[in-house]
Amino acid sequence: MRIGIVGGTGDIGEGMALRLSTRYDVIIGSREEEKAKTASTTCRLRLDELGKVCSLSGVSNQRAVDEADIVVLALPYKHLVPTIASLTGFEGKIVVSPVNPMEFGETVSYVPPPEGSAGLLLKKLLPESARIVVAFNNIAAHRWQTIGEDLDYSVAVCSDDDEAKRIVMDLINTISHLSALDAGPLKNAALVESLTPLILNISKYNRMKDVGVYFR
Amino acid sequence: MRIGIVGGTGDIGEGMALRLSTRYDVIIGSREEEKAKTASTTCRLRLDELGKVCSLSGVSNQRAVDEADIVVLALPYKHLVPTIASLTGFEGKIVVSPVNPMEFGETVSYVPPPEGSAGLLLKKLLPESARIVVAFNNIAAHRWQTIGEDLDYSVAVCSDDDEAKRIVMDLINTISHLSALDAGPLKNAALVESLTPLILNISKYNRMKDVGVYFR
């Protein structure tokens, strides 16, 4: 299975590449292909040091879409609309959105677009055959990066495409000790996305680091 | 410390009375005083059987407000506005809202009022000196009731009144193994309230019972 990470040179993208490339073929995408190649090399060196074999390459965002079975949009919310507008070829692809529309002020707020969530906005932006799955929204970027440590969080997943949802849930369950949970249709994306500002606020007001969520 | 539970004859109210009355003076309120007295007697008998001593009485909702230091609004969202309109005397009281505005359809949705959350709606409805604290939103009613079992969830708490928030957090930390977490100002109430429909959806789609949340 080939996983393309659009925005793969950001914190979360690079962390996901580290965790996923020892098991799957990972293509790191970037607006600038050179940056993606550098990120790919950095990741490979870190994994080499740990004696881990990986499958990683750095390409343009467009090639990350074109060559992948699963496309992960590892983008800050503010880059979502322009990035999608600059890319083609999402037809029939599984498109994973860990994107959270948030505003950072005195406190962290959930500020969704008029569609109700980033997930539902994507439904408007992408071709109808794109198989949108909202997942990985609530995992701290820093925890993706600390590959020496296990990840054992619950990962809530929403989609209107049951098969795509099952494929992404199975993928999640192969990453460290993450545990995928079905959170229903794409309509529920706001419930999953808005958990991230809550986690960031809890982190801030209780001086906790890299807070994660568990449903049990 | 006297805790008045408005709507104390509902599932959550009665469960809270069971858990709180062995440590605090609890006044169960109801629109019909007779129902509150019956609920009080039922709770007392259950605690007696377990060899636990409690302080419990059943009164009208109005007396539950008048005689309490902390008033808990254990109400379904649809009863919130009419119940508040029928009561007086909230001035200077700590008012705890575990209320979640939700709609139950094919899936469970968060449907807040125009103010943004039940917590912010209460700010409009109650006198300015009322000390609103949003807490206990995410604990399954059934788990309150099973007093033989520990509760060990995280409990996110929002308020604009730091002292009231601290009092309620200290109270939470005395109940079984609950762990209070500061979730910031009242503005963040929607983030805490909307976690409940997510929990209910996760429960439904993964066939899990009495799902709770942990932040770690």
Side-chain angles (χ1 to χ4, degrees):
Chain A
M1 193 157 58
R2 265 197 157 175
I3 301 169
I5 306 181
V6 170
T9 59
D11 277 358
I12 288 179
E14 218 174 290
M16 290 182 85
L18 282 168
R19 298 263 182 188
L20 291 166
S21 63
T22 53
R23 188 180 278 263
Y24 305 98
D25 297 327
V26 171
I27 328 169
I28 296 181
S30 173
R31 271 187 304 174
E32 301 163 54
E33 192 167 337
E34 273 314 306
K35 275 180 73 177
K37 285 193 196 303
T38 307
S40 164
T41 307
T42 311
C43 285
R44 185 185 301 278
L45 287 172
R46 279 188 65 189
L47 291 165
D48 275 353
E49 274 174 29
L50 296 166
K52 294 184 189 238
V53 178
C54 66
S55 167
L56 256 175
S57 59
V59 297
S60 66
N61 276 334
Q62 185 60 60
R63 271 190 61 198
V65 175
D66 292 340
E67 296 180 8
D69 307 302
I70 298 181
V71 180
V72 179
L73 303 173
L75 298 162
Y77 176 67
K78 64 178 175 184
H79 294 162
L80 188 64
V81 172
T83 305
I84 296 295
S86 73
L87 298 170
T88 58
F90 287 101
E91 287 78 7
K93 303 267 179 183
I94 294 177
V95 181
V96 176
S97 169
V99 180
N100 301 310
M102 296 187 285
E103 257 175 40
F104 293 80
E106 177 225 344
T107 189
V108 190
S109 304
Y110 182 59
V111 186
E115 290 76 11
S117 60
L120 288 173
L121 171 61
L122 273 173
K123 192 175 168 159
K124 205 176 86 176
L125 298 175
L126 293 175
E128 213 185 319
S129 66
R131 309 167 76 184
I132 304 162
V133 180
V134 166
F136 297 119
N137 301 66
N138 312 134
I139 302 175
H142 178 248
R143 290 300 308 276
W144 280 112
Q145 292 270 359
T146 51
I147 38 174
E149 288 169 29
D150 286 341
L151 290 177
D152 65 348
Y153 303 126
S154 300
V155 180
V157 182
C158 293
S159 181
D160 290 338
D161 182 320
D162 286 341
E163 193 194 39
K165 190 199 278 178
R166 177 43 56 196
I167 291 169
V168 174
M169 287 178 72
D170 288 346
L171 170 72
I172 290 165
N173 289 328
T174 65
I175 307 171
S176 193
H177 300 289
L178 292 182
S179 173
L181 288 169
D182 186 347
L186 197 62
K187 188 187 166 201
N188 292 345
L191 301 178
V192 177
E193 295 170 7
S194 68
L195 188 49
T196 301
L198 179 60
I199 288 171
L200 293 172
N201 283 312
I202 284 175
S203 182
K204 172 183 169 180
Y205 291 104
N206 303 275
R207 298 172 192 226
M208 292 159 70
K209 264 192 77 173
D210 299 331
V211 177
V213 70
Y214 303 82
F215 295 100
R216 276 175 201 153
Chain B
M1 193 157 59
R2 265 197 157 176
I3 300 169
I5 305 180
V6 169
T9 58
D11 277 358
I12 289 181
E14 216 173 292
M16 290 184 86
L18 281 168
R19 298 262 182 187
L20 291 167
S21 63
T22 53
R23 188 181 278 264
Y24 304 99
D25 298 324
V26 171
I27 327 170
I28 296 180
S30 172
R31 270 187 304 175
E32 301 163 54
E33 192 167 339
E34 273 314 305
K35 276 180 72 177
K37 285 191 196 302
T38 306
S40 163
T41 306
T42 310
C43 286
R44 184 185 301 279
L45 287 172
R46 279 187 65 189
L47 292 166
D48 276 352
E49 274 173 30
L50 296 165
K52 294 185 190 235
V53 178
C54 67
S55 168
L56 256 176
S57 58
V59 298
S60 65
N61 276 335
Q62 184 59 60
R63 272 189 61 197
V65 175
D66 292 340
E67 297 179 9
D69 306 302
I70 297 181
V71 180
V72 179
L73 302 174
L75 297 162
Y77 176 67
K78 64 178 175 184
H79 294 162
L80 188 64
V81 172
T83 305
I84 296 296
S86 73
L87 298 170
T88 58
F90 286 101
E91 286 79 6
K93 303 268 178 181
I94 294 177
V95 181
V96 177
S97 169
V99 180
N100 301 311
M102 297 186 285
E103 256 174 40
F104 293 81
E106 177 225 345
T107 189
V108 190
S109 305
Y110 182 59
V111 186
E115 290 76 11
S117 62
L120 288 172
L121 171 62
L122 273 173
K123 192 176 169 160
K124 205 176 86 176
L125 298 175
L126 293 175
E128 214 186 318
S129 65
R131 310 167 77 184
I132 303 162
V133 180
V134 166
F136 297 119
N137 300 68
N138 312 134
I139 303 175
H142 178 248
R143 289 300 310 276
W144 279 112
Q145 292 270 358
T146 51
I147 38 174
E149 289 169 29
D150 285 341
L151 290 177
D152 66 348
Y153 303 126
S154 300
V155 181
V157 183
C158 294
S159 180
D160 290 338
D161 183 319
D162 286 341
E163 192 194 41
K165 192 200 277 178
R166 177 44 54 196
I167 290 169
V168 173
M169 288 179 71
D170 287 346
L171 170 72
I172 290 166
N173 288 329
T174 65
I175 306 171
S176 193
H177 300 289
L178 292 181
S179 174
L181 288 169
D182 187 347
L186 197 62
K187 187 187 168 202
N188 293 345
L191 301 177
V192 177
E193 295 170 8
S194 68
L195 188 47
T196 301
L198 179 60
I199 288 171
L200 294 171
N201 284 312
I202 284 175
S203 180
K204 172 184 168 177
Y205 291 105
N206 303 276
R207 298 173 191 225
M208 291 159 71
K209 264 193 78 172
D210 300 329
V211 177
V213 70
Y214 303 82
F215 295 100
R216 275 176 201 151

